[in-house]
Amino acid sequence: MINETDISDVLGAHLEAMTDVYPIMWENKDAEFPEPPYLIYELVRMPSIDRTLNGDGEIKRGYLQVSVVGKLNEWARPNERQGDLIAARFRKTTKLDVTGGKITIMRPPFVGQGYRDGALWRLPVQIHYQAS
């Protein structure tokens, strides 16, 4: 059986191992926000599926959302470059070992529309996965 904590740890470690990665703000971890640019790591879990009759085929699903945070009213290109690097790191069919199985990136990562967030600029990157 694959644990949700292990999925989060493996995806986080894969992100953190990138070259030239911005500082990462982890979910629910008390820390001072650094001066932009930085990343916000959020794991969004979806209901598992299991198409077997005996319950042995659970597939855990969800997506990792990494928000690239930069200063407002500055050029968006550095954030977009960081988003492109993250997307390349988690390209479709990437497979990562996790205790009890593998995590597979199921579709090309989606670099979304940047938007204003108070005095900051955010660019979301969604990475859809399943683990089995």
Side-chain angles (χ1 to χ4, degrees):
M1 179 176 177
I2 298 173
N3 294 319
E4 297 290 352
T5 305
D6 292 337
I7 293 170
S8 183
D9 288 347
V10 168
L11 291 173
H14 193 65
L15 174 66
E16 197 170 31
M18 284 178 54
T19 305
D20 298 326
V21 68
Y22 291 168
I24 302 169
M25 298 301 299
W26 301 100
E27 289 181 298
N28 198 30
K29 183 174 182 189
D30 189 22
E32 293 290 322
F33 278 91
E35 188 68 23
Y38 57 89
L39 305 177
I40 297 178
Y41 175 98
E42 300 172 282
L43 195 62
V44 180
R45 295 173 178 98
M46 297 166 48
S48 295
I49 57 173
D50 186 344
R51 295 194 174 110
T52 67
L53 296 176
N54 61 6
D56 288 340
E58 183 179 21
I59 299 172
K60 296 189 181 264
R61 306 176 307 149
Y63 64 89
L64 169 60
Q65 179 157 305
V66 180
S67 296
V68 183
V69 180
K71 292 181 180 177
L72 187 62
N73 297 324
E74 292 191 8
W75 208 30
R77 294 301 178 259
N79 286 12
E80 290 173 349
R81 277 190 201 92
Q82 183 80 170
D84 286 341
L85 290 172
I86 293 166
R89 177 81 172 155
F90 288 91
R91 71 184 188 285
K92 181 181 176 181
T93 71
T94 296
K95 293 188 185 309
L96 304 169
D97 291 326
V98 64
T99 302
K102 290 213 179 286
I103 299 169
T104 304
I105 305 306
M106 298 307 297
R107 60 177 83 156
F110 173 66
V111 179
Q113 174 63 46
Y115 62 94
R116 180 186 182 136
D117 181 12
L120 301 170
W121 184 256
R122 283 190 186 220
L123 179 76
V125 181
Q126 284 189 4
I127 299 142
H128 289 255
Y129 71 87
Q130 68 181 34
S132 59

